[in-house]
């Protein structure tokens, strides 16, 4: 009798199944799970492996560091796969150097549109009636002094058409003036607003958004722009769409410049030779080219472009981590998804962004199996336990999935992880066809971060994992499906009136973004469909008999992403059109969709 630990090192988590094996008799004792440390298949995985195995030992009644009781450790055989660092959004970057302010202060002052020449506030007393002006008011000038200075200038006949204010004083100033003027406040970089330049200020009524300054042709009318200058101002107008207040300042001729960094071309090498596709052609064209090149041997990007730089960074990262020469690192699969990419508009003084169409790319990098063997040797030396590199990951997943009650051969399994989506099909005779594809949970995070402007990766992960709601009173919320939930205790005042995430145990996490619930939900579901549903069909087509998905009867979903609250439903709906019964697995009748590969590694040890 021996104690066997099957350890599945994934892109996001490391899972352990601990069992006693006596001949073909297997008794599972416990499981363990922890975050994977480093990129899957590299020596950095050792720390996460120790944590996960220690958890399993403790749950089985041993000490957390009692490694010696384990007779053999079996690792999943998988070439290293780059997950998170390989996913980027690629677009042609158009940078327009104009000057504008387009943020959304909570309480701008006044209403309407004002056009004039920017002047420092201190210059107001010396101005004479004539051309309209827009004073720029720094934080050092309080609202009473600012209102007094503007009122005095208006009294002398100076046409003050609007104002730009650094402090949160817009309403306080306009309430003290004899006439209302539009005032944009909370402009932190007010010192960067150019002076003595043509300027337009627009403040919309509550509940409305700016109309003139979000339309490039209205901007052209206001500033007498030529057709070429109008084309250059498009990123400015696009960045102001949906704002309640905005300012555009026209810089002198020669200061408005445009720089383009092309997205570039992809070169996909397959058995039939090299095929070329431009990233600007979109995700569908890219995926069509990838499919036509199957099985993909390598993918390169055009030098000097966005995609060329991305591909080389991926190769260099893998080479640095594994010690494998750069020329031997191959990109074997790619998933492309159309998305929107916020590009910073150079010259803005409030962090303005223009949404550009882009393509999110996830790539899979495979090397020889040498790195996994090196990891096995390192684990054995560190823990003093014999370590074997077991079966192929997708093969082990299907062995584990077959422990789900109600399953039998033939069976197809989708293993949905963080970095890759794997599919395997076991025929009645026990032979297995399998495939590994790029793109899974991490790519969803990348798309969400891009489209919603999220910089915190933990927030993107939470938006992916949890349903949305909005607190409509101190005691009730409206969930994203429209239903209302009431609470006995009052909610945290910080979530009142805000879009929030509904965690376990009814914990509400407000989302620190100026977005609606509908926009977040639409972005989340779109990202999951375009990653998981696309990859599910792509993978099953490659393992199904004769490449026909309709010839599959049952598909079991396993892996961390299969425990998502809506991914299984999205895939089940898509596969139902092909007459396929699909659902979330329940490994050994108790583990849910997790632990399939680790369980399969133990089962394979018993033959």
């Amino acid at each position: 009798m021996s104690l066997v630990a099957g350890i599945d090192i994934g892109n996001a988590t490391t899972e352990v199944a601990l069992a006693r094996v006596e001949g073909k008799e297997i008794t599972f004792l416990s499981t363990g799970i922890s975050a994977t440390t480093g990129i899957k298949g590299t020596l950095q995985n050792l720390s996460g492996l120790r944590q996960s195995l220690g958890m399993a030992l403790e749950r089985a009644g041993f000490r957390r560091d009692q490694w010696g009781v384990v007779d053999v450790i079996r690792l999943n055989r998988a070439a290293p796969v780059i997950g998170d660092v390989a996913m980027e959004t690629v677009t042609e970057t158009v940078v327009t150097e104009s000057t504008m302010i387009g943020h959304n202060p909570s309480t701008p002052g006044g209403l309407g549109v004002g056009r004039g020449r920017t002047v420092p506030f201190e210059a107001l007393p010396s101005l004479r009636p004539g051309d309209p002006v827009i004073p720029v008011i720094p934080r050092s000038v309080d609202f009473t002094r600012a209102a007094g200075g503007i009122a005095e200038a208006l009294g002398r006949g100076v046409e003050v058409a609007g104002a730009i204010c650094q402090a949160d004083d817009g309403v306080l100033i306009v309430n003290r003036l004899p006439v209302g003027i539009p005032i944009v406040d909370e402009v932190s970089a007010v010192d960067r607003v150019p002076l003595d330049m043509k300027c337009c200020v627009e403040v919309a009524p509550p509940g409305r958004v700016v109309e003139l300054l979000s339309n490039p042709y209205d901007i052209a009318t206001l500033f007498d722009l030529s057709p070429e200058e109008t084309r250059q101002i498009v990123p400015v107008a696009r960045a102001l769409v949906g704002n309640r207040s905005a300012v555009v300042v026209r810089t002198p001729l020669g200061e408005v410049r445009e720089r383009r960094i092309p997205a570039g071309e992809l070169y996909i090498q397959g058995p039939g030779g090299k095929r070329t596709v431009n990233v600007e052609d979109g995700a569908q064209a890219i995926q069509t080219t990838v499919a036509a090149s199957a099985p993909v041997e390598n993918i390169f990007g055009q030098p000097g472009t966005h995609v060329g730089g991305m591909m080389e960074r991926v190769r260099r990262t893998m080479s640095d981590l594994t010690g494998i020469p750069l020329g031997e690192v191959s990109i074997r699969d790619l998933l492309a998804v159309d998305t929107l990419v916020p590009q910073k508009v150079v010259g803005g003084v409030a962090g303005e962004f223009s949404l550009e169409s882009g393509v999110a790319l996830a790539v899979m990098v495979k090397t020889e199996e040498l790195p996994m063997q090196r990891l096995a040797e390192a684990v054995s030396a560190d823990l003093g336990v014999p370590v074997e590199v077991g079966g192929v990951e997708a093969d082990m997943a299907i062995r584990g999935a077959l422990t789900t009650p109600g399953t039998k051969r033939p069976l197809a399994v989708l293993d949905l992880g963080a970095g890759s989506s794997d599919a395997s099909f076991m025929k009645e005779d026990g032979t297995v066809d399998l495939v590994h594809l790029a793109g899974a949970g991490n790519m969803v995070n990348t798309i969400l971060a891009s489209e919603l402007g999220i910089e915190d990766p933990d927030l993107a992960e939470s938006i992916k994992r949890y349903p949305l709601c909005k607190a409509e009173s101190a005691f009730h919320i409206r969930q994203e499906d429209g239903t209302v939930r009431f609470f006995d205790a009052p909610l945290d005042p910080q979530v009142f009136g805000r879009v929030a995430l509904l965690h376990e145990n009814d914990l509400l996490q407000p989302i620190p973004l100026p977005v609606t619930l509908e926009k977040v939900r639409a972005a989340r579901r779109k990202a999951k469909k375009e990653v998981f549903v696309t990859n599910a069909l792509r993978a099953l087509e490659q393992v199904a008999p004769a490449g026909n998905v309709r010839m599959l009867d049952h598909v079991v979903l396993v892996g961390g992403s299969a425990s998502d609250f809506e991914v299984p439903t999205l895939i089940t709906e898509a596969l139902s059109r092909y007459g396929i019964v699909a659902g979330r697995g329940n490994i050994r009748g108790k583990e849910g969709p997790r632990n399939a590969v680790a369980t399969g590694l133990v089962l394979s040890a018993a033959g």
Side-chain angles (χ1 to χ4, degrees):
M1 185 170 63
S2 58
L3 189 64
V4 178
I7 303 183
D8 170 25
I9 300 174
N11 288 284
T13 59
T14 297
E15 300 180 5
V16 174
L18 192 64
R20 294 197 184 278
V21 178
E22 186 171 5
K24 292 187 178 296
E25 294 294 322
I26 302 174
T27 305
F28 285 93
L29 303 179
S30 63
T31 61
I33 184 171
S34 67
T36 296
T37 49
I39 290 180
K40 172 182 178 177
T42 61
L43 298 180
Q44 290 92 334
N45 299 158
L46 181 56
S47 176
L49 183 149
R50 289 171 62 97
Q51 294 177 32
S52 186
L53 180 56
M55 180 187 298
L57 287 171
E58 192 172 57
R59 289 175 174 176
F62 302 101
R63 293 196 318 275
R64 182 174 278 264
D65 59 351
Q66 201 172 344
W67 320 117
V69 299
V70 180
D71 295 294
V72 64
I73 292 174
R74 291 178 56 78
L75 299 181
N76 52 317
R77 180 185 299 157
V81 176
I82 286 201
D84 49 355
V85 300
M87 283 173 293
E88 297 184 10
T89 44
V90 179
T91 181
E92 181 178 62
T93 302
V94 180
V95 180
T96 301
E97 295 197 9
S98 60
T99 303
M100 52 169 257
I101 307 164
H103 65 153
N104 263 322
S106 55
T107 53
L111 296 173
V113 178
R115 287 180 289 173
R117 177 172 54 91
T118 54
V119 296
F121 173 78
E122 303 297 344
L124 281 180
S126 61
L127 296 179
R128 296 290 176 263
D131 294 335
V133 295
I134 307 283
V136 179
I137 307 171
R139 193 183 305 276
S140 57
V141 178
D142 65 31
F143 62 89
T144 54
R145 184 182 164 204
I150 294 173
E152 190 272 337
L154 288 170
R156 289 187 291 104
V158 176
E159 187 180 348
V160 181
I164 301 170
C165 184
Q166 187 174 27
D168 182 16
D169 292 341
V171 174
L172 295 174
I173 294 173
V174 80
N175 285 345
R176 288 163 172 76
L177 297 179
V179 294
I181 61 173
I183 301 177
V184 173
D185 58 5
E186 301 179 38
V187 180
S188 57
V190 75
D191 56 306
R192 288 168 50 194
V193 177
L195 300 175
D196 202 28
M197 300 293 172
K198 288 184 179 180
C199 174
C200 181
V201 181
E202 181 178 3
V203 176
R208 302 284 295 273
V209 296
V210 295
E211 297 180 4
L212 294 183
L213 295 186
S214 61
N215 181 359
Y217 297 110
D218 282 327
I219 296 177
T221 302
L222 293 169
F223 292 101
D224 300 320
L225 301 182
S226 67
E228 178 62 24
E229 290 170 327
T230 302
R231 188 178 67 85
Q232 291 178 327
I233 208 70
V234 167
V236 173
R238 195 180 291 159
L240 298 176
V241 172
N243 286 0
R244 190 188 161 194
S245 64
V247 173
V248 172
V249 183
R250 187 179 183 190
T251 52
L253 185 65
E255 287 194 17
V256 177
R257 299 188 300 274
E258 184 178 78
R259 301 194 305 274
R260 289 181 178 267
I261 305 172
E265 295 179 336
L266 284 167
Y267 308 126
I268 304 168
Q269 186 72 41
K274 185 175 75 172
R275 297 174 186 265
T276 302
V277 60
N278 197 309
V279 172
E280 292 180 4
D281 293 340
Q284 185 173 354
I286 294 172
Q287 290 308 131
T288 299
T289 308
V290 170
S293 304
V296 173
E297 297 170 359
N298 208 348
I299 302 176
F300 296 92
Q302 181 182 3
T305 64
H306 276 308
V307 75
M310 171 192 169
M311 293 300 177
E312 288 312 304
R313 282 195 300 275
V314 168
R315 285 189 171 84
R316 188 165 299 281
T317 299
M318 181 57 76
S319 178
D320 292 343
L321 288 169
T322 63
I324 293 174
L326 188 64
E328 297 180 20
V329 179
S330 300
I331 295 176
R332 297 293 180 84
D333 187 55
L334 178 149
L335 176 66
V337 174
D338 290 321
T339 184
L340 294 174
V341 186
Q343 296 287 351
K344 189 169 185 179
V345 181
V346 176
V349 294
E352 295 80 7
F353 286 85
S354 170
L355 285 176
E356 303 286 344
S357 296
V359 179
L361 298 179
V363 301
M364 174 173 285
V365 179
K366 291 187 179 179
T367 63
E368 298 302 321
E369 293 179 7
L370 174 63
M372 209 66 194
Q373 189 59 47
R374 287 174 51 200
L375 175 60
E377 293 168 359
V379 172
S380 181
D382 183 71
L383 303 182
V385 177
V387 179
E388 303 172 354
V389 178
V392 178
E393 190 168 336
D395 189 4
M396 296 301 100
I398 205 165
R399 290 174 183 266
L402 280 167
T403 65
T404 296
T407 59
K408 67 173 184 177
R409 305 174 187 173
L411 181 70
V413 170
L414 281 173
D415 186 358
L416 309 175
S420 65
S421 299
D422 307 330
S424 49
F425 177 67
M426 181 175 279
K427 304 169 187 174
E428 290 202 32
D429 61 5
T431 58
V432 177
D433 293 328
L434 48 92
V435 65
H436 304 278
L437 298 181
N442 286 348
M443 191 180 190
V444 173
N445 291 0
T446 298
I447 296 170
L448 287 174
S450 172
E451 295 201 354
L452 298 177
I454 299 171
E455 296 182 358
D456 180 4
D458 292 334
L459 177 59
E461 173 70 18
S462 295
I463 289 175
K464 177 187 73 177
R465 291 180 58 190
Y466 299 111
L468 297 156
C469 66
K470 187 170 184 179
E472 295 187 336
S473 77
F475 289 93
H476 86 275
I477 62 172
R478 186 172 299 276
Q479 300 181 124
E480 63 177 62
D481 62 359
T483 59
V484 175
R485 282 189 59 186
F486 292 88
F487 294 84
D488 295 331
L491 300 172
D492 188 330
Q494 291 186 354
V495 304
F496 179 69
R498 298 180 62 182
V499 179
L501 299 169
L502 186 58
H503 289 242
E504 293 93 349
N505 303 320
D506 294 333
L507 176 65
L508 299 183
Q509 176 192 353
I511 298 177
L513 300 172
V515 290
T516 63
L517 184 149
E518 291 75 18
K519 180 178 179 180
V520 178
R521 182 176 185 268
R524 186 195 70 215
R525 289 180 63 85
K526 171 178 170 287
K528 289 179 180 179
K529 281 183 179 179
E530 296 192 345
V531 173
F532 286 112
V533 175
T534 299
N535 259 356
L537 295 173
R538 208 161 62 103
L540 291 175
E541 285 173 355
Q542 297 187 44
V543 300
N548 187 351
V549 177
R550 294 183 184 277
M551 296 185 70
L552 299 174
D553 293 322
H554 299 276
V555 175
V556 175
L557 309 180
V558 300
S561 292
S563 60
D564 184 273
F565 73 98
E566 62 187 350
V567 166
T569 302
L570 294 174
I571 294 177
T572 298
E573 289 176 355
L575 295 182
S576 65
R577 303 176 202 143
Y578 299 88
I580 298 174
V581 178
R584 183 189 288 123
N586 188 14
I587 309 306
R588 307 201 310 274
K590 58 184 294 188
E591 300 295 338
R594 285 198 175 274
N595 210 253
V597 174
T599 296
L601 287 165
V602 173
L603 294 174
S604 65

